[in-house]
Amino acid sequence: MTDSFDPVAYNRAAWDREVENSNEWTQPAGPEVIARARTGDWSVVLIGYQAVPRDWFPAELVGAEVLCLASGGGQQGPVLSAAGAAVTVLDNSPRQLDRDREVATREGLAVRTVLGDMRDLSVFPDASFDVVFNPVSNVFCPDLAPVWRESFRVLRPGGILMAGFLNPDIFIFDITALEERGELIVRHQLPFSSLDLTDAERQRSYGTGPIEYSHSLAGQIGGQLAAGFTLTHLDEAPHHADATAQYMPGYFATRAVKP
């Protein structure tokens, strides 16, 4: 990669390709899911396949202003909209946002979509939202401090930030051995980025997928605290798709509040 490499532009194109390749996180919610959500029977995920506890959300979701941050794909946003929230989805991938518009058009939902970088929410005024919902996506973001600062700014007092993220220890393992043979071979130091690999290694391990970054827990949780949030809940889950699930949590989820 050159000094002029733009990770936002690269990952935008990479996620557009993931849509074309039918990545599971690009598959929009079906009519039956939306129909159930309209009756109050709904759930969404922050980490893996684990439903977020309902008490992490406001007691009254109807009318709540929710920002689904880097959460395109037609999954969480339309479900929350069908459950009664006023939903805005911001994502770096035009094709992921197409998925949200697809469901919104099909189901008659009012879902606002915005193309952008999760570190820059300047399109939104201060205190615009009651909830920021950020499923596992900051693994594709080079630096997290702006994400937490901007999330804090756009939330109203008492607003809730829900974030899902990868356990950084996942990145110490050789990804090819992990995915192809289920072997846990320690290879990388932390912090890690797939940009650290040679072009040939990156192609072998990640193909044309997005660039990933192993953010520390200090950057993930400590960063939220430094931005001014009060942490109220912490959860964990095994990675849903690799052999580390037998030994360690692959995901963490946090709920934090703006005082």
Side-chain angles (χ1 to χ4, degrees):
M1 296 292 179
T2 65
D3 291 340
S4 61
F5 175 73
D6 182 348
V8 174
Y10 184 94
N11 280 356
R12 176 172 294 171
W15 269 106
D16 282 353
R17 288 190 295 269
E18 292 298 303
V19 174
E20 299 304 323
N21 294 332
S22 298
N23 179 297
E24 65 176 316
W25 303 116
T26 72
Q27 302 304 299
E32 68 288 348
V33 173
I34 300 302
R36 288 199 303 270
R38 284 190 161 116
T39 70
D41 178 14
W42 60 271
S43 67
V44 289
V45 298
L46 274 174
I47 50 176
Y49 300 145
Q50 184 167 296
V52 181
R54 289 287 286 270
D55 63 3
W56 283 30
F57 286 89
E60 181 56 74
L61 188 62
V62 175
E65 296 278 353
V66 177
L67 173 61
C68 290
L69 181 60
S71 180
Q75 298 180 1
Q76 297 96 349
V79 168
L80 294 173
S81 177
V87 173
T88 298
V89 180
L90 181 139
D91 201 272
N92 185 38
S93 162
R95 294 289 288 115
Q96 281 285 73
L97 293 175
D98 285 346
R99 293 303 203 194
D100 289 278
R101 288 189 287 267
E102 173 187 328
V103 180
T105 298
R106 187 189 74 212
E107 303 292 343
L109 299 171
V111 176
R112 179 189 180 193
T113 58
V114 178
L115 181 68
D117 181 347
M118 64 192 301
R119 296 171 297 177
D120 179 7
L121 305 183
S122 57
V123 67
F124 306 122
D126 294 356
S128 296
F129 298 100
D130 301 298
V131 176
V132 172
F133 187 86
N134 176 221
V136 179
S137 58
N138 67 37
V139 65
F140 309 115
C141 182
D143 52 328
L144 298 188
V147 177
W148 307 136
R149 287 197 303 266
E150 282 289 87
S151 294
F152 189 88
R153 181 185 65 79
V154 302
L155 278 169
R156 298 175 178 129
I160 299 165
L161 168 67
M162 286 178 263
F165 46 90
L166 276 173
N167 181 344
D169 290 349
I170 294 289
F171 289 94
I172 69 174
F173 300 112
D174 182 291
I175 189 171
T176 301
L178 186 64
E179 292 188 349
E180 294 183 0
R181 302 187 298 277
E183 297 177 356
L184 277 64
I185 298 176
V186 174
R187 181 181 173 199
H188 304 294
Q189 290 185 323
L190 300 180
F192 169 81
S193 166
S194 52
L195 282 174
D196 299 336
L197 302 174
T198 66
D199 290 343
E201 288 177 312
R202 189 167 51 254
Q203 179 64 37
R204 183 171 63 253
S205 298
Y206 290 86
T208 61
I211 299 299
E212 298 186 16
Y213 303 86
S214 74
H215 299 296
S216 68
L217 295 182
Q220 299 280 13
I221 299 172
Q224 293 180 45
L225 299 175
F229 285 103
T230 298
L231 191 70
T232 64
H233 295 76
L234 173 67
D235 202 358
E236 63 184 25
H239 196 292
H240 68 289
D242 70 40
T244 62
Q246 302 174 58
Y247 304 99
M248 61 193 293
Y251 295 111
F252 296 106
T254 55
R255 180 187 185 272
V257 174
K258 177 176 179 175

